[in-house]
Structures are given as structure tokens and as C-alpha cells.
């Protein structure tokens, strides 16, 4: 009887775990539907409207045309970023990812991400400063690092006020490299910080310019950092800005030298 009871308890625990997993999958499925039906549809409708305005108007001045095309560029960048997050997440759920680490010059990746986000930052007059230590090379998957930095910087822009400053820094932390993206925007309460990671139903709050959010980007950041044997966490206080930190393992000296040689 004791053995039977033990088996029943084990089976009950397994069933409960499967039910929890199914509930999480259903929550994520609902989130995907929301992203596709609203967060992707809305900017595409906006793009369609601007393009129709340009196409029908024969009296646009050069300044008006430049203004409208800048708006198109910003919307395309936002939509592309959301679509890329969605595709990465879907792929990770269906087939998984194989980490392909190599020696990566972190400063170069950060500069690339800043370039990609320039139009979004410019619209809010937010300055992005790359203060990564130029000597820092990490043993990390390049595509995953690029996505993590891009998402965290975009998140910082989203919650910055007009004229704000976003900084990307790095420092040595024991045997790891710590990268942190800091903004002087709205900040978060401790309850909001605790809900950022590990809560599949979490939806990001609205940005300072009414930017929407799904929380999908932060989920990917956490997953990709941990797949590269790092940790991700946030430090914030309401009204005083936020700082997102993650760790990477440094590349060996030989790998770093090889990376510099290949880039030059």
C-alpha cells in the first residue's frame, strides 16, 4: 500500500506539472495572438496610411516628405525588431537553439546595435553612449548577444524621457564580464522588477511616448544570456531610471587576438 500510494503521489505531481506547463503554453499562445493581431497589425496600418498620404498628395514640400519618411523608418525599425523577436522566440520553442560561441568584440556589437536603433532614439531625442571597455572580448554566440543588447537598449529608449541618456557600460566582475545598460527614465517599483523575468503572462507597460510592449524581448534576453552561461537581472527605482545587467564569460587571450586579426 505504501508503494502504491507513493506511485500515485508521484503520478499526481507529474500531472500537476504537465498542467502547469500547458497553462504556460496557453498563456504564451495567447500572447502570440495578441502580438500578431495588435502589435504587428497596428504599425503596419500606420505605415499604410502614411504611404497612401504620400502617394495621393501632389503638394508635399521637401520638409514634409523628409518628416514623413523619417516616421516610416522609425515604424519599420520597430516592426522589424518585434518581428525578429517573434521569429526567434517561435524558433526557440519549436526547434531550440544551438549556441555557437566565439570570441566577440563587445564594443563592436554595441556600436552595431546603436546604429540600428538610431532612428528610434532620434525621434525621442535620446542620446545613446557606448562606454563598453574596448578591451573586452566575450566567449558568446554573436547573434544572441546582438539580440540581447538591442532589446535592452530599445527597452531603455522606450522608458526614457525626451532628451534622456542611455549608457552601455562594461566592467570586470570576478571571472566574468558584466555589461549593464542604464537609463535615467521612469524607473520601476520593486514589484515590477520582480515580475520582469519568469512570469510568462507579464506584459510590458507603456513607454513614455505611449509605446506598447509585450515582454517577449526580455524573455528572449533572459533565455539567451542563460544559454551562454550568464545571468541577467535588473536594478531600478521608480522615478530614478533603470539598469539592466548581464554577465558573459571572457574570451581567452588567443581567441581575442584572433578576433581582432580577422576584423582587421
Amino acid at each position: 500500500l505504501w508503494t502504491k500510494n507513493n506511485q500515485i503521489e508521484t503520478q499526481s505531481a507529474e500531472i500537476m506539472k504537465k498542467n502547469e506547463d500547458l497553462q504556460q503554453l496557453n498563456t504564451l499562445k495567447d500572447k502570440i495572438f495578441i502580438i500578431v493581431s495588435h502589435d504587428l497589425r497596428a504599425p503596419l496600418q500606420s505605415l499604410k496610411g502614411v504611404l497612401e498620404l504620400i502617394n495621393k498628395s501632389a503638394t508635399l514640400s521637401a520638409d514634409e516628405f523628409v518628416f514623413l519618411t523619417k516616421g516610416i523608418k522609425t515604424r519599420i525599425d520597430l516592426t522589424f525588431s518585434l518581428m525578429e523577436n517573434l521569429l526567434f522566440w517561435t524558433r526557440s520553442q519549436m526547434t531550440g537553439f544551438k549556441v555557437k560561441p566565439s570570441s566577440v568584440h563587445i564594443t563592436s556589437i554595441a556600436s552595431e546595435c546603436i546604429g540600428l536603433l538610431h532612428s528610434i532614439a532620434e525621434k525621442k531625442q535620446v542620446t545613446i553612449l557606448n562606454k563598453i571597455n574596448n578591451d573586452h572580448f566575450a566567449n558568446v554566440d554573436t547573434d544572441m548577444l546582438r539580440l540581447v543588447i538591442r532589446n535592452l537598449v530599445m527597452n531603455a529608449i522606450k522608458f526614457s524621457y525626451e532628451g534622456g541618456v542611455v549608457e552601455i557600460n562594461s566592467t570586470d566582475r570576478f571571472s566574468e564580464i558584466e555589461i549593464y545598460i542604464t537609463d535615467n527614465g521612469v524607473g520601476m517599483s520593486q514589484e515590477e522588477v520582480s515580475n520582469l523575468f519568469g512570469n510568462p503572462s507579464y506584459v510590458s507597460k507603456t513607454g513614455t511616448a505611449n509605446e506598447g510592449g509585450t515582454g517577449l524581448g526580455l524573455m528572449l534576453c533572459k533565455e539567451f544570456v542563460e544559454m551562454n552561461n550568464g545571468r541577467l537581472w535588473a536594478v531600478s527605482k521608480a522615478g530614478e531610471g533603470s539598469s539592466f545587467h548581464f554577465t558573459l564569460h571572457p574570451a581567452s587571450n588567443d581567441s581575442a587576438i584572433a578576433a581582432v586579426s580577422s576584423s582587421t
Side-chain angles (χ1 to χ4, degrees), residues 201-241:
S201 61
Y202 173 75
V203 176
S204 177
K205 64 182 182 181
T206 304
T208 54
N210 294 319
E211 303 99 324
T214 62
L216 193 61
L218 286 179
M219 287 173 57
L220 280 171
C221 288
K222 183 175 186 295
E223 183 176 348
F224 283 179
V225 167
E226 290 178 351
M227 287 176 71
N228 284 275
N229 301 311
R231 296 168 291 112
L232 172 65
W233 69 97
V235 178
S236 185
K237 189 173 181 180
E240 298 184 11

Side-chain angles (χ1 to χ4, degrees), residues 8-75:
I8 291 171
E9 289 178 0
T10 302
Q11 290 173 351
S12 297
E14 291 175 354
I15 291 171
M16 288 180 65
K17 178 65 169 61
K18 288 179 180 179
N19 284 335
E20 290 176 0
D21 292 341
L22 285 172
Q23 287 177 358
Q24 289 188 359
L25 285 173
N26 281 330
T27 300
L28 291 171
K29 178 199 67 176
D30 293 340
K31 178 174 284 190
I32 295 299
F33 286 146
I34 292 171
I35 293 170
V36 173
S37 64
H38 180 266
D39 295 284
L40 282 178
R41 187 166 176 261
L44 288 175
Q45 284 182 323
S46 178
L47 282 171
K48 182 181 177 183
V50 173
L51 290 172
E52 286 178 350
L53 178 63
I54 293 174
N55 190 47
K56 291 179 180 178
S57 179
T59 59
L60 282 177
S61 67
D63 290 340
E64 288 172 333
F65 183 79
V66 170
F67 176 78
L68 288 173
T69 52
K70 276 188 176 181
I72 290 174
K73 176 69 167 59
T74 302
R75 290 182 178 91

